[in-house]
Amino acid sequence: MGTTVFERRRPPASVVEHALKPTRQAVFWLEDLPEGAVGGRPKLTRTIVADLVVVGGGYTGLWSAVLAKRRNPGARVVLVEAKSIGWAASGRNGGFCESSLTHGDENGMARWPDEMPLLHRLGLENLDAIEASEAELGMDFHFERTGQLAPAIEEHQLEWLREWADEAAARGEGDEVVYLDEHEVQASVASPTYLGGVWEKRTNGMVHPARLASELARVAEELGVEVFEHSPVKRLETPGSTGAVSVVTEHGRVDATHAVLGTNVFPSLLKRNRLMTVPVYDYVLMTEPLSEQQLESIGWRDRQGIGDMANQFHYYRLSKDNRILFGGYDAIYHYGRRVRSGYERRPETWNTLANHFFTTFPQLEGLQFSHQWAGAIDTSTQFTAFFGTARDHRVAYAAGFTGLGVGSTRFAAETMLDLLERRDNERTQLEMVRKRPLPFPPEPAASIGINATRWSLDRADHNRGKRNVLLKTLDALGLGFDS
């Protein structure tokens, strides 16, 4: 087996130790919200009769509530959240708002090749709508339509990038998907690890994750949505004779005509979905703001989001105040599908990320990290969201976004509302929407399989990307594990 660039170019241990010394465990995005933007909403302590009840105060639920009120301003819409708005994945992700609805073209082509032109268009329209919503709904979530840079950091990845650019050119997208040679990519972002790159110019925007959630909640309430926090849902009831659905909390309930479930990584209220996702823990570091001199040393004037080409990939971006968020690489699954705050602390992963950061940007030696945090991603076997209805068409759900939910949750909200309204349109006719992926197996098979897959992905990164028998078998079955 070979070595990776991060093993060949390790920074001095003293550099990493100095950089991590002041770091504290806290989510930068949540701390960076305006005063009063977090919490303060009441608990549900009574019975409410509504047209639509939304479970979950992350992007999926918030977009569903906002779009439902825009479709039908007179409808009574109620949203219940177990903790506070945006506290989980929606408030702590990297802020990559991608147009892809399929976790990239390669995954989409492997699963829904005939639908990819439509999925590509719908994804771009969805991203355009998110960008336009800042002005249209009076929101500010620091949206920047920067595109995304995919650098090759190993020789074998250059061939993948050339194929990617050639395929885009054949589709007439040569101006939007640009191949950069070693000189060009390092002129764009000055990392000595970059051997080439592809810059997708239209398909990605950057957002402030927690501001997106808090702004959606504010707009929802201005539209008339009733939002309740600290009201975990205990069960879902659908009495057969009433044609209604009831969401029951410890101290209250909502009786509604329809329900939308946006619980994502947390255990589903529907038994049929209990094995459809697994929680995978992802870890990030955030630097202190860069000085003008430090910014000049790395270039990055186009402020693209960046994600490298490895199986165990890194993603990184600039914040509005010029901090660098640097995350990814490890994707950790814990036995039993549990979501626990204790899993958010993993010093060995943050040490690995810090090492890889200074391999990527050795000129930033001396820079320190201010924040470190983690969170669980709802991973599905098809790497992207699945959809459906239940309980005699009273309940709609979407989950399994696998790390690409910042943009696609809006599309999911539109789709769930379409399904509840029994609309027959481009969204509801998609095979991706009509057919469910295979579930993950129960324990202990899930843990054995996932950890064997993680080991195999790491081996592929050490062997010029060559996939072993396990990975080839999973590819053939349409199964997988990703962050």
Side-chain angles (χ1 to χ4, degrees):
M1 288 288 175
T3 58
T4 69
V5 67
F6 299 108
E7 293 161 331
R8 298 190 298 269
R9 293 176 175 250
R10 291 179 64 88
S14 58
V15 171
V16 172
E17 183 180 358
H18 172 76
L20 289 171
K21 191 172 184 180
T23 311
R24 60 194 182 86
Q25 187 161 357
V27 181
F28 168 78
W29 302 121
L30 293 171
E31 290 191 344
D32 192 50
L33 286 174
E35 187 175 352
V38 177
R41 296 176 176 89
K43 294 181 180 179
L44 180 63
T45 57
R46 64 187 191 279
T47 297
I48 296 176
V49 177
D51 297 292
L52 176 69
V53 58
V54 177
V55 181
Y59 298 147
T60 306
L62 290 166
W63 276 119
S64 297
V66 167
L67 294 172
K69 286 294 285 187
R70 298 199 80 201
R71 289 186 182 200
N72 185 0
R76 188 174 189 183
V77 178
V78 176
L79 184 149
V80 291
E81 161 56 39
K83 293 189 177 181
S84 58
I85 293 296
W87 74 275
S90 295
R92 60 182 67 204
N93 61 80
F96 285 68
C97 189
E98 299 193 26
S99 67
S100 177
L101 303 174
T102 60
H103 211 123
D105 288 347
E106 185 176 357
N107 186 51
M109 286 298 296
R111 300 179 189 280
W112 310 287
D114 294 339
E115 293 184 343
M116 277 306 290
L118 174 58
L119 285 163
H120 183 71
R121 174 173 63 78
L122 291 174
L124 282 172
E125 289 174 357
N126 182 65
L127 182 59
D128 290 342
I130 293 171
E131 181 176 17
S133 68
E134 278 200 308
E136 189 176 347
L137 298 175
M139 295 194 288
D140 177 13
F141 44 87
H142 299 179
F143 188 93
E144 299 178 84
R145 191 71 170 258
T146 59
Q148 186 162 330
L149 178 67
I153 56 175
E154 304 289 351
E155 287 284 348
H156 67 271
Q157 296 167 3
L158 289 170
E159 182 180 351
W160 301 344
L161 292 178
R162 292 190 187 100
E163 290 176 357
W164 182 359
D166 289 345
E167 289 169 2
R171 296 193 302 267
E173 300 171 4
D175 293 337
E176 300 170 11
V177 182
V178 179
Y179 179 82
L180 306 175
D181 64 22
E182 184 172 1
H183 173 75
E184 291 168 329
V185 73
Q186 292 195 17
S188 178
V189 181
S191 171
T193 66
Y194 292 179
L195 306 176
V198 161
W199 182 11
E200 285 190 300
K201 293 190 173 184
R202 289 186 60 213
T203 58
N204 191 74
M206 306 308 303
V207 304
H208 186 305
R211 283 187 73 103
L212 176 56
S214 66
E215 287 284 80
L216 281 170
R218 178 182 61 79
V219 168
E221 290 177 310
E222 289 175 355
L223 291 170
V225 177
E226 298 163 72
V227 179
F228 297 92
E229 295 182 320
H230 305 289
S231 303
V233 175
K234 302 298 183 182
R235 63 187 182 276
L236 201 65
E237 296 178 351
T238 46
S241 61
T242 66
V245 57
S246 297
V247 164
V248 182
T249 69
E250 186 174 0
H251 301 292
R253 64 188 289 140
V254 183
D255 299 325
T257 306
H258 291 114
V260 161
L261 303 184
T263 54
N264 297 324
V265 76
F266 297 98
S268 177
L269 293 166
L270 296 171
K271 186 177 180 181
R272 70 174 65 179
N273 288 341
R274 295 285 170 84
L275 296 179
M276 296 302 293
T277 63
V278 294
V280 177
Y281 276 81
D282 187 44
Y283 299 80
V284 299
L285 292 169
M286 181 71 97
T287 73
E288 61 191 0
L290 273 64
S291 68
E292 288 297 326
Q293 184 177 6
Q294 288 169 326
L295 273 174
E296 184 65 26
S297 74
I298 60 172
W300 211 346
R301 296 172 189 84
D302 294 309
R303 301 179 61 84
Q304 311 99 314
I306 300 177
D308 65 45
M309 298 292 290
N311 289 306
Q312 292 184 285
F313 63 92
H314 308 80
Y315 58 87
Y316 37 116
R317 52 79 57 94
L318 289 166
S319 66
K320 187 174 182 179
D321 63 347
N322 293 323
R323 300 168 183 262
I324 298 176
L325 177 144
F326 193 84
Y329 191 72
D330 279 342
I332 306 300
Y333 172 74
H334 296 274
Y335 186 94
R337 289 178 163 84
R338 299 183 182 94
V339 179
R340 293 180 173 173
S341 59
Y343 296 154
E344 295 174 17
R345 184 165 184 81
R346 189 175 168 84
E348 60 268 40
T349 293
W350 288 316
N351 187 75
T352 297
L353 286 172
N355 269 280
H356 294 182
F357 178 89
F358 288 107
T359 295
T360 304
F361 296 122
Q363 66 270 47
L364 294 181
E365 180 178 330
L367 186 68
Q368 294 185 303
F369 299 105
S370 59
H371 296 73
Q372 59 190 26
W373 71 88
I377 293 170
D378 58 326
T379 297
S380 73
T381 59
Q382 67 182 21
F383 299 146
T384 192
F386 61 91
F387 306 82
T389 61
R391 308 290 179 91
D392 195 27
H393 221 83
R394 305 176 207 177
V395 179
Y397 58 82
F401 294 92
T402 319
L404 255 67
V406 178
S408 59
T409 46
R410 185 191 178 282
F411 174 85
E414 294 273 31
T415 302
M416 287 188 289
L417 296 175
D418 287 345
L419 290 171
L420 290 177
E421 295 170 11
R422 299 181 185 267
R423 294 193 185 189
D424 185 3
N425 59 23
E426 289 180 321
R427 284 188 291 263
T428 59
Q429 285 302 307
L430 288 168
E431 183 180 353
M432 184 179 76
V433 171
R434 291 185 292 107
K435 294 186 179 179
R436 288 159 57 92
L438 291 171
F440 286 96
E443 296 292 9
S447 186
I448 294 169
I450 289 170
N451 287 320
T453 303
R454 288 189 64 245
W455 179 87
S456 297
L457 291 170
D458 178 71
R459 293 300 84 193
D461 284 337
H462 285 78
N463 190 28
R464 297 182 57 81
K466 295 178 181 178
R467 299 170 78 80
N468 64 14
V469 172
L470 173 62
L471 295 180
K472 289 178 179 178
T473 301
L474 292 174
D475 291 342
L477 294 173
L479 296 169
F481 170 80
D482 200 0
S483 63

